[in-house]
Amino acid sequence: MIMGAGDRIPAESALPPPVTLTDEEIVARVCAGEQGLFEILMRRHNLRVYRAARAILHDDDETEDVMQDAYVRAYEHLHDFEGRARFSTWLTRIAVNEAVARVRRGKRFDTLDSFTEEPFMSTTRASSPEQQTSDVEIRGLLEKAVAALPEDFRMVFVLRAVEGMSGAEVAECLGIAEETVKTRLFRARRRLQEKLVESIEPALPSIYEFHLSRCDRVVAAVLHRIGGRRRPSA
């Protein structure tokens, strides 16, 4: 699954173009043969794809597997991207579908009990020991509460409230009506209890941290998998 020490990322990916390129411009150049530029798309959207998949699977190893599968599938179907939705939305929907398919194939689906066995996420901010302890406890409490939500509510909550996607984007990703997104989000917030949500909402961007080491591992593995493939064909 993961590249070994002797594997190398294609040389063309070592000199990425300016970060000002739009997703659509990068997609066009990848389809034209600049395979290495696909790395930019992965690094640009890794956090969103990770959060979307993990909201369904709640297991780091399975989430990384699903991320790789989603990126490979997206790469193979880049010519199918028509620009009617944002590329990030199109990509996130692929990741969601891959995660749901993984669950339906009988893979382990995380429950509240198994979630509590995971260690709390470490904090990397410079703060007092007391503040660090408080931050860890808040994130742990929030993640447990989110994990306890029904799947439909949890997916909407993570994409809408945590990731900050618009209602229309979430609807597009999940294949549901935008009104349904609003309803599920309302019910999810109510289940989490309004007072709790209000007190911890500022900390939402810090959950499901996506460290550079994980980013590098996923990118390297996908580039290794698609390295021997032909460029996407129309």
Side-chain angles (χ1 to χ4, degrees):
M1 178 186 76
I2 305 302
M3 292 180 65
D7 295 320
R8 299 182 62 185
I9 297 175
E12 64 222 27
S13 67
L15 295 173
V19 294
T20 54
L21 285 174
T22 66
D23 288 345
E24 290 72 22
E25 289 171 335
I26 296 175
V27 167
R29 290 176 61 167
V30 173
C31 289
E34 297 182 70
Q35 184 187 66
L37 300 189
F38 192 69
E39 178 176 351
I40 295 177
L41 293 175
M42 287 190 285
R43 293 190 181 278
R44 184 175 290 178
H45 299 295
N46 258 339
L47 179 57
R48 173 169 292 183
V49 171
Y50 173 74
R51 282 174 166 170
R54 198 178 189 283
I56 299 171
L57 297 167
H58 285 181
D59 179 87
D60 282 340
D61 291 336
E62 284 197 304
T63 297
E64 286 193 24
D65 288 342
V66 164
M67 289 178 70
Q68 292 183 32
D69 291 343
Y71 280 130
V72 170
R73 184 175 295 275
Y75 175 82
E76 292 175 337
H77 294 275
L78 276 184
H79 277 288
D80 295 334
F81 175 65
E82 300 175 350
R84 289 179 293 184
R86 295 174 60 183
F87 177 79
S88 59
T89 302
W90 181 78
L91 178 62
T92 303
R93 183 165 189 175
I94 292 176
V96 167
N97 289 340
E98 289 291 328
V100 170
R102 175 66 64 99
V103 172
R104 289 176 178 172
R105 286 196 299 268
K107 297 295 183 179
R108 182 170 65 86
F109 185 79
D110 195 47
T111 63
L112 179 60
D113 288 339
S114 62
F115 186 87
T116 59
E117 295 174 359
E118 296 183 5
F120 287 147
M121 299 172 63
S122 62
T123 178
T124 57
R125 295 181 303 169
S127 57
S128 66
E130 293 79 8
Q131 184 61 51
Q132 291 181 10
T133 299
S134 176
D135 290 346
V136 169
E137 291 176 349
I138 288 174
R139 286 200 298 273
L141 182 61
L142 174 60
E143 290 191 15
K144 291 176 187 177
V146 173
L149 290 171
E151 179 184 342
D152 290 344
F153 293 175
R154 182 172 60 250
M155 291 167 64
V156 168
F157 182 80
V158 169
L159 294 178
R160 186 75 176 88
V162 179
E163 183 56 29
M165 296 175 66
S166 69
E169 288 177 316
V170 175
E172 175 70 20
C173 286
L174 302 182
I176 58 179
E178 189 170 355
E179 190 61 35
T180 302
V181 172
K182 295 179 181 179
T183 299
R184 291 180 183 177
L185 179 63
F186 172 77
R187 291 177 179 175
R189 286 183 180 275
R190 185 172 60 184
R191 292 198 179 203
L192 289 172
Q193 299 182 352
E194 195 64 29
K195 183 176 180 179
L196 174 62
V197 174
E198 289 176 356
S199 65
I200 62 177
E201 206 155 39
L204 284 176
S206 68
I207 74 169
Y208 296 163
E209 292 177 339
F210 193 81
H211 297 291
L212 180 60
S213 60
R214 187 186 302 279
C215 180
D216 289 340
R217 185 164 60 247
V218 170
V219 168
V222 172
L223 290 177
H224 180 66
R225 289 175 61 178
I226 69 178
R229 298 171 185 258
R230 295 179 179 179
R231 72 185 189 195
S233 57

